[in-house]
């Protein structure tokens, strides 16, 4: 599934790539793909729908906004920042590492 999704992304079929990952249970990978594509609302929607990885979405969105020296404009992410407060980067990175380990054991392409 991970390879198929990467091929779809290469062919500029982003929505299909995300769908393949989600159907295969690769939620983190789908959210990460959205983040890398700056599809912030889609990343948020996936995280909220699956009740997972909201901290990752918020962390990367805030990091992006700092890099471009902008304020948050997306209501969903403003609300998430209000709900979550500060993201514990260490805990988030540990969770990501655990997921990448799970992916590699499952035969995915961790990275």
């Amino acid at each position: 599934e991970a390879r198929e999704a990467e091929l779809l992304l290469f062919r500029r079929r982003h929505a299909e790539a995300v769908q393949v990952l989600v159907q295969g249970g690769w939620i983190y990978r789908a959210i990460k793909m959205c983040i890398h594509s700056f599809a912030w609302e889609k990343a948020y929607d996936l995280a909220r729908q699956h009740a997972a990885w909201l901290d990752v979405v918020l962390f990367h969105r805030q990091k992006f906004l700092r890099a471009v020296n902008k304020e948050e404009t997306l209501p969903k992410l403003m609300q998430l920042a209000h709900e979550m407060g500060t993201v514990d980067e260490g805990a988030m990175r540990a969770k990501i590492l655990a997921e990448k380990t799970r992916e590699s054991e499952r035969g995915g392409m961790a990275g």
Side-chain angles (χ1 to χ4, degrees):
E1 291 123 349
R3 285 193 180 108
E4 180 183 351
E6 287 186 0
L7 287 171
L8 286 167
L9 188 60
F10 179 73
R11 294 181 188 136
R12 299 180 188 269
R13 293 163 60 183
H14 185 268
E16 290 175 69
V18 169
Q19 184 179 11
V20 165
L21 291 171
V22 169
Q23 286 176 347
W26 302 87
I27 306 306
Y28 169 72
R29 174 100 26 211
I31 291 170
K32 183 177 170 185
M33 184 179 287
C34 292
I35 290 170
H36 284 270
S37 302
F38 304 105
W40 299 108
E41 289 187 87
K42 180 64 176 173
Y44 169 85
D45 291 342
L46 283 171
R48 182 64 79 186
Q49 179 183 358
H50 295 278
W53 307 107
L54 286 164
D55 54 343
V56 173
V57 174
L58 181 60
F59 175 81
H60 286 288
R61 175 64 176 178
Q62 290 175 340
K63 183 177 172 183
F64 167 76
L65 291 171
R66 281 192 304 274
V68 296
N69 200 27
K70 299 282 184 185
E71 295 291 319
E72 184 59 76
T73 58
L74 300 175
K76 292 176 181 179
L77 290 164
M78 290 171 86
Q79 179 63 33
L80 180 61
H82 178 73
E83 290 171 8
M84 293 189 76
T86 304
V87 174
D88 180 347
E89 185 176 353
M92 180 198 67
R93 293 202 182 278
K95 189 167 77 167
I96 290 169
L97 181 61
E99 179 64 13
K100 286 182 177 183
T101 300
R102 186 186 74 79
E103 284 182 0
S104 67
E105 289 170 355
R106 187 178 158 189
M109 302 178 316

